[in-house]
Every structure is written in C-alpha cells, then in structure tokens.
Amino acid sequence: MADEKSVSANDAAMYRLAFRVLLGVANPPDGMALCVSIGRDPGSNTAYDPPAELIARLTPPLHAAYPASQCVMDTRPVIARGGEQAQWYHVWVKQQRGDGSRLLVLVHIYGNLGSHAWESVATPVDGGWQVSQQTLVAIS
C-alpha cells in the first residue's frame, strides 16, 4: 500500500486524476470551499493532508481548497479558521493489486449524515493513470 505521508510523483499523478474524477461526480457548488484528504492511518483512521503541490494542482478555478488539518466536522464540514462552510473530498487506496492497479475509495462528505462513497480502479497506463467508472458503494 502506498504511504500517503510521502507521496511519490507517480502517486501524486494518480491522486490528481482520482480527485478530478471525484469532483466531477460530486459536482461541488460554485464558490464552495473544499477540504481535501488522502489515505488513512490504520491505527486511528485519521486522514492525511495531501502535499501542498497536490492541493494547488487539483484546485478547481471556482473553489478554494484546504488540507484536512485545516478543516473540522460540525453538522457540516467547515474551515477551522473562519468557520466557512465546506465540502470534504477524500481519496484512499483500499487495495494495491499485484498487477499494479489500485482499488480506490472516493468519498464526498457534505454533512454530518450526508455523504457518498464510490469505488474505482486506478490502472497504470503509458506512464500515467486511468481511473475506471465509479461504482456507488455507500450513501448516508
């Protein structure tokens, strides 16, 4: 499993594509702040902050993105400093497969009991990545 604390250039490319896919299916409202996280600590289930470069490169033009450590969960996700409402976007590698592909979980949280989760497969192709069609696996 990739160590999300230190993301390689190859993994960063996979995460960028996975976030683009996630933002495409979740379709955040224009101007909504985004909380962004990757991976999860197996002991505490705590999400990791993505590298700053990853956040900067995935930020859509109409949204400000913040690492998870700058966000808190109230009845909805909010930016800790200032209390601006946000939506949370999280990608983690559920399984690394022998063929180099990875089973991903893509999560969109918009409220305390409001979220969607999809599974998708990231496959290495021609020095980059391809992310498969998403399968909705949870709604709360």
Side-chain angles (χ1 to χ4, degrees):
M1 190 95 54
D3 175 9
E4 283 88 0
K5 289 182 183 178
S6 57
V7 177
S8 70
N10 187 46
D11 287 345
M14 180 207 59
Y15 279 116
R16 275 194 307 275
L17 180 56
F19 275 112
R20 276 193 216 112
V21 168
L22 176 56
L23 290 168
V25 295
N27 194 24
D30 288 352
M32 178 64 67
L34 311 178
C35 295
V36 183
S37 56
I38 61 173
R40 60 187 199 161
D41 180 272
S44 67
N45 208 26
T46 302
Y48 298 120
D49 284 351
E53 176 273 333
L54 178 60
I55 293 173
R57 292 195 59 193
L58 69 82
T59 302
L62 300 175
H63 305 279
Y66 300 85
S69 62
Q70 293 182 24
C71 301
V72 294
M73 197 56 196
D74 192 8
T75 55
R76 326 177 129 257
V78 296
I79 307 307
R81 194 172 4 149
E84 179 183 0
Q85 286 192 3
Q87 292 185 356
W88 205 301
Y89 295 87
H90 179 72
V91 175
W92 60 280
V93 177
K94 182 176 182 179
Q95 178 185 45
Q96 184 141 356
R97 298 174 170 176
D99 64 357
S101 67
R102 298 173 183 177
L103 178 61
L104 303 177
V105 178
L106 313 172
V107 181
H108 169 222
I109 303 169
Y110 48 89
N112 196 22
L113 293 174
S115 66
H116 290 87
W118 297 267
E119 284 186 346
S120 197
V121 176
T123 307
V125 272
D126 299 328
W129 291 90
Q130 179 178 330
V131 175
S132 71
Q133 187 71 18
Q134 302 74 48
T135 302
L136 185 62
V137 293
I139 300 175
S140 71

